[in-house]
Amino acid sequence: MTIQFQANFLLKGTITCETGLHIGGTSEGIEIGGLENIVIRDPKTDLPFIPGSSLKGKMRTLLELSYKDSSENIIKNKGEPCKCGKCIPCKIFGSSAPDNKSKDDDRQQGPTRLVVRDSFTTVVKLETELKSENTINRITSEANPRSMERVPRGTQFKFEMIFSIYEEEDYSNFLKLIDSMKLLEDSYLGGSGTRGYGQIQFKDIYVLKRPAGYYTSSAKEIEISNFGSLTDMPKDDEFLARIK
Ligand SMILES: [Zn+2]
């Protein structure tokens, strides 16, 4: 099996919050009595953003759970990601380096196919909302009020991902990345998702291909297409024919 860099796919577009979004930030430096459950912010602009690691981590989990081997490994690793290096999620999202000390370690290591950039808001000013929630003590019936800071629904972020092709199989792995984005739309990003937070949609998706020659010689980048939403993207064979 030869591994050689062949092309990069750039995937750009908008993430729209369909419900309030809470990706937790650190409360460090916040005075006592201040807000506890704050959202993560870009220190440069003080605006909320979506860390690439949050987006990548969630897509990885959802894709891992859709394969037998990797979902079994999540259980074995007590909730940690699969590290086999062989399954499709490991190829796309990466796996940690094998431990050379143990002889029975048959993990494979290859290049991580996917890079997910941080997603910043499209606005210069953004008011977050505070959602009050009560948890009720089942025994004393005492209410324990708390408030969560959320990015309001309707907020848009610009996302960018780069997917690298190293072997023929990576073209179909690229389609699996799109599957994981679809899975995310029917799941949630950030905290309190089972209570209605974090529903997002990918919109205005722009796909661009940069073959190896784009970086080393005068080869041109190839515009694949613009898609209004994930559901507008062609299905497997048709899409493969367009990106190869
Ligand atoms: Zn794996």
Side-chain angles (χ1 to χ4, degrees):
M1 187 177 60
T2 335
I3 294 277
Q4 187 187 7
F5 173 65
Q6 295 173 26
N8 273 335
F9 283 101
L10 271 71
L11 204 58
K12 297 179 184 196
T14 309
I15 291 176
T16 304
C17 298
E18 300 293 322
T19 60
L21 171 72
H22 176 88
I23 299 178
T26 165
S27 308
E28 249 171 68
I30 289 184
E31 286 168 40
I32 297 166
L35 195 56
E36 268 173 63
N37 301 299
I38 56 162
V39 298
I40 192 162
R41 287 166 190 276
D42 171 14
K44 194 171 170 170
T45 60
D46 207 35
L47 290 168
F49 76 108
I50 300 173
S53 55
S54 302
L55 195 55
K56 191 180 178 193
K58 187 69 192 196
M59 292 192 301
R60 176 182 196 135
T61 304
L62 293 169
L63 197 66
E64 280 178 334
L65 290 170
S66 69
Y67 290 96
K68 188 172 172 287
D69 288 353
S70 47
S71 51
E72 278 173 359
N73 282 337
I74 297 183
I75 310 288
K76 250 188 259 169
N77 299 343
K78 299 187 169 65
E80 293 288 308
C82 180
K83 297 183 179 87
C84 78
K86 289 176 252 178
C87 69
I88 288 173
C90 277
K91 283 193 169 180
I92 296 175
F93 298 98
S95 60
S96 53
D99 177 4
N100 292 326
K101 284 169 199 151
S102 80
K103 281 182 195 136
D104 58 350
D105 195 332
D106 64 345
R107 282 183 282 170
Q108 288 178 5
Q109 211 198 358
T112 299
R113 280 24 172 211
L114 181 68
V115 171
V116 183
R117 307 277 195 219
D118 290 341
S119 301
F120 299 100
T121 51
T122 53
V123 293
V124 289
K125 201 168 175 287
L126 178 68
E127 295 277 341
T128 54
E129 61 188 20
L130 282 182
K131 184 159 186 301
S132 326
E133 302 202 339
N134 268 324
T135 49
I136 309 287
N137 185 309
R138 297 291 190 278
I139 296 161
T140 64
S141 298
E142 214 170 282
N144 175 26
R146 60 173 193 166
S147 57
M148 298 276 274
E149 185 185 25
R150 306 202 304 181
V151 171
R153 67 182 286 239
T155 307
Q156 294 192 325
F157 296 87
K158 288 272 170 221
F159 77 86
E160 185 177 320
M161 303 182 202
I162 297 115
F163 188 92
S164 305
I165 305 288
Y166 288 97
E167 54 182 329
E168 190 64 16
E169 183 205 303
D170 286 334
Y171 287 99
S172 57
N173 289 342
F174 180 58
L175 301 191
K176 302 297 176 212
L177 166 67
I178 292 158
D179 290 350
S180 76
M181 294 164 76
K182 288 181 188 162
L183 286 165
L184 178 54
E185 286 190 344
D186 282 349
S187 183
Y188 61 88
L189 193 60
S192 301
T194 56
R195 288 183 284 136
Y197 290 43
Q199 186 190 350
I200 58 125
Q201 269 200 335
F202 294 98
K203 289 179 180 167
D204 306 317
I205 306 148
Y206 179 63
V207 186
L208 191 73
K209 182 181 183 179
R210 288 181 175 161
Y214 169 87
Y215 300 96
T216 55
S217 61
S218 56
K220 293 260 185 306
E221 57 185 25
I222 305 149
E223 192 179 311
I224 305 293
S225 200
N226 247 319
F227 304 98
S229 68
L230 292 174
T231 46
D232 292 342
M233 296 176 104
K235 294 283 171 273
D236 293 4
D237 286 349
E238 195 192 337
F239 197 48
L240 276 177
R242 272 168 88 167
I243 63 175
K244 274 189 181 176

